[in-house]
Amino acid sequence: MALRFFNTYSRELEEFAPRDSSSRKIDMYTCGPTVYSRAHIGNFRAYIFEDLLQRHLEARGYEVHRVMNLTDVDDKTIRGARTARMPLSQFTEQFKDAFFKDCEALRIKPANEYPSATDQRYIDKMIAMISALIDKGLAYQAEDKSVYYRIKSFPNYGKLAHFNLDELQSTGRVKNDEYDKEHIGDFALWKAWDEEDGDVKWNSPWGPGRPGWHIECSAMATDLLGNEIDIHCGGVDNIFPHHEAEIAQSEGVTGKKFVRYWVHCEHLLVDGQKMAKSLGNFYTLSDVLAKGYTGRETRYALLRVNYRKPLNFTWDGMDEARESLGRIDGWLRRLRETAGDKIDNNKIDMQLGQEFENALDDNLNISGALGFLFETIRDTNRAMDRGELDAAQASAWLNWWKRVNQTLDLEPKTESEIPAEVSKLTDERAQARLAKDFRKSDELRDRIAALGWEVRDSKDGQKLTRRAGG
RNA sequence: GGCGGGGUAGCCAAGUGGUAAGGCCGAGGUCUGCAAAACCUCUAUUCGCGGGUUCGAUUCCCGCCCCCGCCUCCA
């Protein structure tokens, strides 16, 4: 099956073909966090989806060049820095650091670049783009000194969101203090400095001020990836106005088709409602880790539903993730035991189980792909139960897993070291069992369990497993 | 009001014009001193509701209901 994705622009499933058909290189731009506080796991659902998308494209032989921006200047960052009595850059730095730590814990592959909006290189680019837009009559400076995009002059404005400009309704969420605009839909490209901004300002042909939110992405994307890019991702809430504005800005300047495939991730919900800082119903990764779950478990929980479906976050869902991973872990352990010295760690099997990738080809059908994984697990477990899977076959399935895991990245990183205390109790238990003292054996099993380890008795003696986590 | 997403078992969730993958939970069984893990069996005559097309629809068409989101801060 051909690789295909749902393109927000056309509202259709489209077969994927890179811009440059002669090479395997793809340019991908992904909207990153605004670093005014910790990102919440709803934000990370989008980043994990993008990670899966990148990894699957790579599995299909594409070389992905991905950029993720960091919005480090806007109303919220400025307000936060003021409240914290810190320079803006120092204030945002802590949240950039936290963001990268969280990404690592969630095993999100790093982007090739993480440009910051406040980088002078991009401020210059933004100013150049705004100047070009003014020259073309697509932007104007209003009496409040700010520069706005003249959406009525860009015929395609509204095409991505499928909005009719005349029917835009104010939801009252944003305070309407920009009275100087020609059209209520005109958005700020350059915000004139005011007292609230303190020392946050850059010089421009229109006076001191700072960039509007949308222009940074147009500037960074075109600067780092070129005027035309293959894939642009984000959450569905970015469709309008953010991505609509990006198209207007980028295409307004370059005259080129900015993005070939717009791919948007649905929301993570809590109690059936969007997880959002403004609603206060959000969890950060730290919150989840504090409950005893791991980054790997969180990754699985956020990964397991197709990106186009709203996903309701629950602690039951986290438990399910834990149990499902436990099934995978147990299977891997067993395959390794069966494979013994036939294990070939350097090999990646490219033949077995193509159904996994085939499912992902279909608009990242992760449920179908995981379904196939679990069917494979049951089939091979059954074969091992019956002694019908030899070491070479077990090794082959491990090499298959290696391929699958390049996309999923769900393998426990390392088998935990067995603590001396656990080891000592296990030895005692072996003695007790030798003496058929089952009462003592069971008591020791409980004590080992209390230390977080599970002990199972097999033909080859006791087997220890770290309970949960990884 | 406009534009989208969703409604499949107790929960999560695939999927197809021909009669419902997979995961979690639960019950029974094999194995075990007992467990655990694994395996086996069972768990939706039914896919929001009502029409229509069809030999046949959960899947296509029409109409409706409910939940969620976007409509200029948002992943």
Side-chain angles (χ1 to χ4, degrees):
Chain A
M1 186 192 288
L3 187 53
R4 53 183 196 162
F5 303 117
F6 186 87
N7 189 341
T8 307
Y9 200 87
S10 65
R11 298 279 151 89
E12 282 176 358
L13 275 175
E14 290 181 17
E15 189 162 325
F16 178 77
R19 179 166 41 92
D20 179 359
S21 59
S22 66
S23 97
R24 302 297 285 179
K25 291 185 176 170
I26 297 175
D27 294 314
M28 181 166 160
Y29 188 88
T30 49
C31 282
T34 301
V35 283
Y36 71 106
S37 66
R38 292 293 291 261
H40 59 66
I41 56 173
N43 302 127
F44 283 110
R45 183 195 185 188
Y47 308 139
I48 287 173
F49 140 68
E50 289 154 3
D51 182 57
L52 178 67
L53 175 58
Q54 169 167 8
R55 288 169 186 263
H56 183 58
L57 285 165
E58 287 170 349
R60 284 316 195 189
Y62 292 105
E63 188 184 319
V64 180
H65 181 188
R66 182 161 65 91
V67 170
M68 176 177 274
N69 70 294
L70 301 172
T71 300
D72 59 356
V73 56
D74 79 323
D75 290 351
K76 284 173 292 197
T77 44
I78 291 171
R79 200 183 311 132
R82 274 175 71 104
T83 306
R85 294 169 184 276
M86 271 184 202
L88 180 66
S89 59
Q90 189 188 337
F91 177 75
T92 56
E93 191 65 31
Q94 57 187 324
F95 299 114
K96 289 181 186 178
D97 290 346
F99 173 70
F100 290 126
K101 283 204 181 77
D102 287 351
C103 282
E104 195 181 344
L106 291 168
R107 307 182 179 191
I108 294 167
K109 253 184 130 155
N112 299 79
E113 282 107 4
Y114 290 99
S116 286
T118 57
D119 188 325
Q120 191 61 45
R121 170 180 168 186
Y122 304 116
I123 296 276
D124 291 344
K125 174 88 180 184
M126 289 183 243
I127 288 172
M129 288 186 86
I130 296 168
S131 297
L133 290 170
I134 291 175
D135 290 346
K136 293 187 178 199
L138 289 169
Y140 58 92
Q141 183 168 28
E143 283 190 25
D144 66 0
K145 302 293 182 201
S146 290
V147 179
Y148 296 95
Y149 196 100
R150 183 177 283 129
I151 61 169
K152 282 287 188 185
S153 298
F154 185 74
N156 285 338
Y157 194 81
K159 285 274 176 65
L160 177 68
H162 294 217
F163 280 169
N164 179 344
L165 300 188
D166 300 324
E167 290 170 354
L168 288 183
Q169 268 185 16
S170 173
T171 52
R173 287 199 312 177
V174 173
K175 97 183 145 161
N176 196 3
D177 58 355
E178 293 164 341
Y179 301 108
D180 304 320
K181 297 190 289 187
E182 293 175 4
H183 185 282
I184 54 154
D186 287 353
F187 55 89
L189 294 165
W190 187 260
K191 292 192 169 190
W193 179 87
D194 70 29
E195 283 182 16
E196 300 270 304
D197 295 340
D199 60 356
V200 178
K201 62 182 176 211
W202 289 265
N203 288 322
S204 81
W206 317 286
R210 59 185 164 97
W213 173 39
H214 315 300
I215 191 68
E216 67 175 71
C217 285
S218 289
M220 296 169 181
T222 55
D223 196 67
L224 290 165
L225 298 173
N227 292 339
E228 298 169 83
I229 61 183
D230 295 295
I231 300 175
H232 193 129
C233 302
V236 288
D237 49 1
N238 274 161
I239 296 171
F240 195 89
H242 187 53
H243 289 161
E244 194 73 63
E246 281 188 53
I247 293 173
Q249 294 161 346
S250 304
E251 298 188 2
V253 170
T254 68
K256 301 263 176 56
K257 176 90 173 166
F258 179 44
V259 169
R260 289 167 60 83
Y261 301 90
W262 286 98
V263 191
H264 291 98
C265 180
E266 261 294 340
H267 287 303
L268 186 67
L269 310 177
V270 182
D271 298 326
Q273 285 205 308
K274 173 181 165 182
M275 180 176 289
K277 291 184 181 159
S278 55
L279 294 171
N281 62 347
F282 64 93
Y283 298 105
T284 63
L285 182 61
S286 303
D287 295 333
V288 178
L289 298 182
K291 287 254 191 184
Y293 297 98
T294 63
R296 179 171 83 112
E297 289 164 347
T298 312
R299 176 178 174 84
Y300 184 90
L302 298 181
L303 188 70
R304 62 197 236 274
V305 174
N306 180 260
Y307 72 94
R308 293 243 302 151
K309 279 207 156 197
L311 168 59
N312 201 21
F313 178 82
T314 61
W315 296 111
D316 283 349
M318 288 302 300
D319 289 338
E320 183 187 326
R322 169 170 292 177
E323 295 305 321
S324 302
L325 287 171
R327 188 161 163 77
I328 294 172
D329 296 349
W331 173 66
L332 290 174
R333 238 179 275 122
R334 206 171 164 195
L335 277 180
R336 291 197 177 103
E337 283 167 16
T338 305
D341 57 9
K342 283 276 201 279
I343 288 180
D344 183 354
N345 281 320
N346 297 317
K347 195 178 167 195
I348 294 175
D349 183 278
M350 299 308 287
Q351 304 303 319
L352 290 168
Q354 295 292 331
E355 290 92 328
F356 182 82
E357 285 87 352
N358 290 345
L360 290 178
D361 279 351
D362 185 14
N363 200 30
L364 294 183
N365 182 354
I366 187 68
S367 301
L370 289 174
F372 177 71
L373 168 64
F374 285 107
E375 281 176 25
T376 301
I377 288 175
R378 192 186 28 173
D379 288 348
T380 45
N381 271 336
R382 185 195 292 134
M384 284 188 278
D385 272 4
R386 294 175 179 170
E388 290 170 357
L389 196 86
D390 63 28
Q393 288 170 307
S395 180
W397 281 112
L398 282 168
N399 292 330
W400 174 77
W401 164 256
K402 202 158 191 167
R403 186 180 95 217
V404 166
N405 193 51
Q406 284 184 328
T407 299
L408 295 178
D409 204 347
L410 287 173
E411 186 168 325
K413 286 293 187 209
T414 47
E415 287 290 328
S416 308
E417 288 280 318
I418 297 168
E421 176 74 7
V422 172
S423 188
K424 180 171 151 273
L425 292 173
T426 307
D427 289 344
E428 279 181 41
R429 186 164 179 273
Q431 292 303 314
R433 295 182 63 72
L434 218 55
K436 300 267 187 227
D437 184 351
F438 293 119
R439 177 187 289 260
K440 188 171 183 194
S441 166
D442 291 351
E443 186 193 308
L444 286 162
R445 181 165 61 195
D446 290 343
R447 286 173 65 188
I448 292 167
L451 293 169
W453 289 75
E454 184 175 85
V455 61
R456 293 179 288 126
D457 301 305
S458 75
K459 286 194 288 287
D460 312 319
Q462 302 180 78
K463 295 267 165 68
L464 281 167
T465 317
R466 186 94 177 90
R467 261 199 324 216

